[in-house]
Amino acid sequence: MLVAMVRFPKVWLGLFLLVLPFFLTDTGEGVSASEVAIGGLFTGAIALWMIWRLAVDPRPLVRGWTDFLLLLFIVAAFANIVVAASNHIPLGGWAVDWSYFLLMLYYFPFREEFGKDTATFRQFIALAGVSALSMALYSAWTFKQKMAENMIYAYQIQASRSATLGPLFLLMLCIGLVLVFHVKWRAKMVTLLIMVVNLAALLLTFTRTLWVLVFACSALAMLFLRWKQNTKIILGGLTILVVSVSVFYAISPKVASVALVFVQKRFTSSTQLKGGDFSFETRIIEVNDAWRKVKQAPLGGNGLRSMFVTWTPIDQWHNRTSFVHIGYIGLIHKVGFPTALIMFCVLIGFSIRSIRAALAARRPHAPPLARSVAIGVFAFIPAMYINIFMAGIFDQRYGNVMFAFIFAAVALSEEALRRAQQDPPLESQ
């Protein structure tokens, strides 16, 4: 790994992207030995790469205030170890949670290695596409394995689902929706395949928020497309929906009927914010309990992996947990207002850069790949903020990998657009 990291960094980064389905998916049985090995390998590798890069390469690593704030957040979060020790939090658990933040640093080698020219940019998107396809297939296979255990009732569908990788599926759909109009027919077929598989995996999460965001993000991306392209998206979406439901009923009418009833109940429960939607009630109770802890230590936080007691309406018992579904409060609860504010500024900074890149991508000389990635990532940005509100994100492996990918995609598209502006004839495709 060390040799690959220094001499063949693309191999190292490609391997990282290809093992994401196994690294990001929870086993449901705590932290397994394989997760410890893979997690230690890749978090250790990025830490060593950062040290090597700063010590050997004279080129500046920090290229703007967003880069500086990202590194500052990692350092400030490490200082949280003092708070954790004073609150008697096991340092092993604290170290695991802090190591997740290191995954965001993959943004730097992604930017360095895949931002050299158009060819390397294509390699990055190709590897990301293969990784997204693998994650979607793995998620669908896991769902099928759980469903094979004598599925009869609707509640068993919810027990079989896994929403862990849902935001990543949505991110790939946003990029693919624009990319499919800017590539040749072979790449177009591959892109469509990846989109269909990711859409199926997203549906199998049975997460209402993500379903709604598919339409919202698509509408945002369509603002940057021509009306003929938008017509194709609408007609294609309706065709996929009709065909999918028809095939579902043809293959397994019983399961399809139960699934549709379950979907209907999922949406109708959203209108009952009191006594009906237990997920919403859980989040409200949970965030109130976490906020009480925040008020006790607003500056330094309570420490990563800090526990608090909250009532869970679904299970009808008091639960001792460190996870807060509303990620903004969860991060403040653990690291305090100042450190959390640094991270929020990082997200805002890359969001502003994403908006600028998407607007620049509308220019005639913009390379098709840069245009697709810039617009696709921008369409996902609102969903990113909503997912932080609904699913924590900051203390999740997939969340920090998602941040690294978004940051890198923004930087790579910016660089490609900048090259095209400087020399339009050479970069035009």
Side-chain angles (χ1 to χ4, degrees), residues 95-167:
V96 170
D97 279 12
W98 180 77
S99 69
Y100 292 161
F101 295 146
L102 294 179
L103 296 173
M104 286 189 287
L105 296 180
Y106 271 92
Y107 149 66
F108 290 103
F110 283 151
R111 184 195 68 188
E112 297 274 308
E113 298 301 326
F114 295 108
K116 298 176 180 178
D117 49 37
T118 302
T120 55
F121 194 4
R122 286 198 186 101
Q123 292 170 0
F124 177 69
I125 297 303
L127 287 169
V130 173
S131 180
L133 181 62
S134 301
M135 283 188 281
L137 291 173
Y138 184 79
S139 182
W141 178 82
T142 302
F143 180 84
K144 182 179 180 297
Q145 292 298 106
K146 293 180 179 179
M147 286 284 289
E149 301 174 359
N150 301 317
M151 204 292 293
I152 299 176
Y153 303 106
Y155 74 86
Q156 290 174 289
I157 295 178
Q158 185 171 9
S160 301
R161 73 188 182 104
S162 174
T164 302
L165 303 180

Side-chain angles (χ1 to χ4, degrees), residues 10-214:
K10 290 181 184 177
V11 175
W12 160 53
L13 296 172
L15 180 62
F16 171 72
L17 289 171
L18 294 178
V19 301
L20 285 182
F22 310 100
F23 177 49
L24 300 183
T25 306
D26 295 330
T27 61
E29 301 175 355
V31 181
S32 66
S34 61
E35 288 174 317
V36 171
I38 296 174
L41 180 65
F42 285 114
T43 53
I46 187 58
L48 290 174
W49 184 89
M50 292 293 294
I51 295 173
W52 172 82
R53 173 64 174 77
L54 292 170
V56 175
D57 198 322
R59 295 175 302 167
L61 183 66
V62 176
R63 299 181 183 176
W65 65 271
T66 48
D67 292 359
F68 171 76
L69 289 178
L70 177 57
L71 294 175
L72 179 62
F73 170 75
I74 301 296
V75 174
F78 182 78
N80 183 258
I81 191 173
V82 177
V83 176
S86 64
N87 289 337
H88 308 290
I89 297 172
L91 295 185
W94 178 93
V96 170
D97 279 12
W98 180 77
S99 69
Y100 292 161
F101 295 146
L102 294 179
L103 296 173
M104 286 189 287
L105 296 180
Y106 271 92
Y107 149 66
F108 290 103
F110 283 151
R111 184 195 68 188
E112 297 274 308
E113 298 301 326
F114 295 108
K116 298 176 180 178
D117 49 37
T118 302
T120 55
F121 194 4
R122 286 198 186 101
Q123 292 170 0
F124 177 69
I125 297 303
L127 287 169
V130 173
S131 180
L133 181 62
S134 301
M135 283 188 281
L137 291 173
Y138 184 79
S139 182
W141 178 82
T142 302
F143 180 84
K144 182 179 180 297
Q145 292 298 106
K146 293 180 179 179
M147 286 284 289
E149 301 174 359
N150 301 317
M151 204 292 293
I152 299 176
Y153 303 106
Y155 74 86
Q156 290 174 289
I157 295 178
Q158 185 171 9
S160 301
R161 73 188 182 104
S162 174
T164 302
L165 303 180
L168 295 176
F169 301 148
L170 178 59
L171 175 57
M172 291 301 105
L173 284 172
C174 290
I175 295 175
L177 186 67
V178 186
L179 183 63
V180 73
F181 293 108
H182 296 93
V183 291
K184 296 181 179 179
W185 72 270
R186 290 183 180 177
K188 190 185 299 290
M189 292 299 103
V190 174
T191 302
L192 285 171
L193 173 63
I194 295 174
M195 288 180 64
V196 170
V197 175
N198 273 263
L199 179 60
L202 184 65
L203 292 174
L204 292 178
T205 64
F206 287 94
T207 304
R208 296 159 296 184
T209 303
L210 293 176
W211 291 344
V212 173
L213 287 174
V214 170

